Amino acid sequence: MSISSRFAVGIHILTLIEVNKDRVCTSEFIAGSVNTNPAVIRKIMGMLKNAGLVNVRPGIAGAELAKDLSEITLLDVYKAVNVVQENELFSIHENPNPACLVGRNIQDTVSSVFSTAQSAMEKALETVTIKDVVTDILEKEKL
Amino acid sequence: MSISSRFAVGIHILTLIEVNKDRVCTSEFIAGSVNTNPAVIRKIMGMLKNAGLVNVRPGIAGAELAKDLSEITLLDVYKAVNVVQENELFSIHENPNPACLVGRNIQDTVSSVFSTAQSAMEKALETVTIKDVVTDILEKEKL
DNA sequence: ATACTTGTAATCGAATTAATTACAAAAGAG
DNA sequence: CTCTTTTGTAATTAATTCGATTACAAGTAT
């Protein structure tokens, strides 16, 4: 199974707010760029807001970044949109047999490895910022 | 969303075959340790077999490792049980608006980052072998 | 022939996803 | 104050995936 596209959409939203910073970014406008329903955008935007990445206010059109571009990592976005719970990237099989040597110990052992692997992935996300994404997109457009 | 527990179960199966190598490991016996249905075990075992990690034959009770313990990495198991497709750990949002600067470029940019993050996770899995898992479990039991 | 096992397909309920509709509440314009 | 626009949020829907279960054909040994 794949990690929810909320993450990709969250990145899209933040990137668009920056690139389009001279104009007002309503949920409808953003939905037009992402190609989805405005309510989906508002829901994800609410998560970004709770995480302190974005400023939006009821009744007032438009969203703005709440932090500097270069201080928002993709890990921040990933955590904000809640696509993977802490230490739950991998599922552990529940209730193995405690009467079996392997059954009663495998969960601890495997959890530890899974945790390490998940951390490696998250560290990779931490090295990239929204600024990097914006720069990369503008770069692509030049060619 | 979490990665299917098939992965954790696959690790459990291989570990159990090793730890229990002096006895015959039928799908029913393994299911008893994992605490699931034998058909589930047979399905996963079929995947491990296709990947060349295990020897099983129709009608003949018991499974054996097809490789040395120390030569089976968790990445091998992960790939065998098909829990995550190549470059599909993260979902990309489909059909962003090509008329938008961000919409027409975001997929490439984001895919590249996602691929890097997925690789980091898989590399971590590659550093651990079934032998490590077995050793860790036996170690735990000593205490 | 009988008993046991593997291989595999079909089915089921549960959980999750993204999309959609609907509407209350907030803000601003006239 | 009234009307319009927008955000915030809940409810519903169809599609997808998962693990469990049942069932049975086919292979092997006694």
Side-chain angles (χ1 to χ4, degrees), chain B residues 10 14 43-56 64-67 71-82:
Chain B
L14 295 171
K43 174 157 190 180
I44 297 175
M45 193 96 80
M47 294 178 171
L48 298 175
K49 180 184 177 182
N50 282 337
L53 303 182
V54 143
N55 290 326
V56 213
E64 295 175 352
L65 296 185
K67 285 182 166 187
E71 287 178 358
I72 303 178
T73 71
L74 296 199
L75 181 62
D76 294 329
V77 182
Y78 163 94
K79 286 185 174 170
V81 297
N82 228 347

Side-chain angles (χ1 to χ4, degrees), chain B residues 63-130:
Chain B
E64 295 175 352
L65 296 185
K67 285 182 166 187
D68 189 89
L69 269 194
S70 59
E71 287 178 358
I72 303 178
T73 71
L74 296 199
L75 181 62
D76 294 329
V77 182
Y78 163 94
K79 286 185 174 170
V81 297
N82 228 347
V83 280
V84 175
Q85 307 306 312
E86 178 112 352
N87 269 343
E88 291 189 7
L89 174 61
F90 300 91
S91 308
I92 298 273
H93 192 278
E94 300 300 326
N95 308 315
N97 189 343
C100 169
L101 163 64
V102 174
R104 69 173 165 272
N105 290 297
I106 190 85
Q107 286 188 320
D108 269 5
T109 299
V110 152
S111 299
S112 159
V113 178
F114 284 178
S115 175
T116 301
Q118 179 170 346
S119 292
M121 181 268 280
E122 293 173 352
K123 277 215 171 65
L125 295 178
E126 198 174 16
T127 66
V128 182
T129 67
I130 294 295

Side-chain angles (χ1 to χ4, degrees), chain A residues 1-5 7-9 11-12 15-16 19 32-36 74 78 83-84 88-97 100-106 108-110 113-114 116-118 120-121 124-125 128 132-133 136-138 140-141, chain B residues 1-5 7-9 11-12 15-16 19 32-36 74 78 83-84 88-97 100-106 108-110 113-114 116-118 120-121 124-125 128 132-133 136-138 140-141:
Chain A
M1 191 57 159
S2 282
I3 291 172
S4 165
S5 67
F7 182 27
V9 173
I11 298 171
H12 188 141
T15 303
L16 185 57
V19 170
S33 172
V34 174
N35 189 24
T36 184
L74 296 200
Y78 163 95
V83 280
V84 174
E88 292 188 7
L89 175 59
F90 299 92
S91 308
I92 298 273
H93 192 278
E94 299 300 326
N95 308 315
N97 190 342
C100 169
L101 164 63
V102 174
R104 70 173 165 272
N105 291 297
I106 190 85
D108 269 5
T109 301
V110 153
V113 178
F114 284 177
T116 302
Q118 180 171 346
M121 181 269 279
L125 295 179
V128 182
D132 296 328
V133 173
D136 196 58
I137 286 182
L138 296 179
K140 278 198 171 68
E141 196 71 11
Chain B
M1 190 59 161
S2 282
I3 291 173
S4 165
S5 66
F7 182 28
V9 174
I11 297 170
H12 189 142
T15 303
L16 185 58
V19 170
S33 171
V34 173
N35 190 25
T36 184
L74 296 199
Y78 163 94
V83 280
V84 175
E88 291 189 7
L89 174 61
F90 300 91
S91 308
I92 298 273
H93 192 278
E94 300 300 326
N95 308 315
N97 189 343
C100 169
L101 163 64
V102 174
R104 69 173 165 272
N105 290 297
I106 190 85
D108 269 5
T109 299
V110 152
V113 178
F114 284 178
T116 301
Q118 179 170 346
M121 181 268 280
L125 295 178
V128 182
D132 297 327
V133 173
D136 196 58
I137 285 183
L138 296 179
K140 279 199 170 67
E141 197 68 13

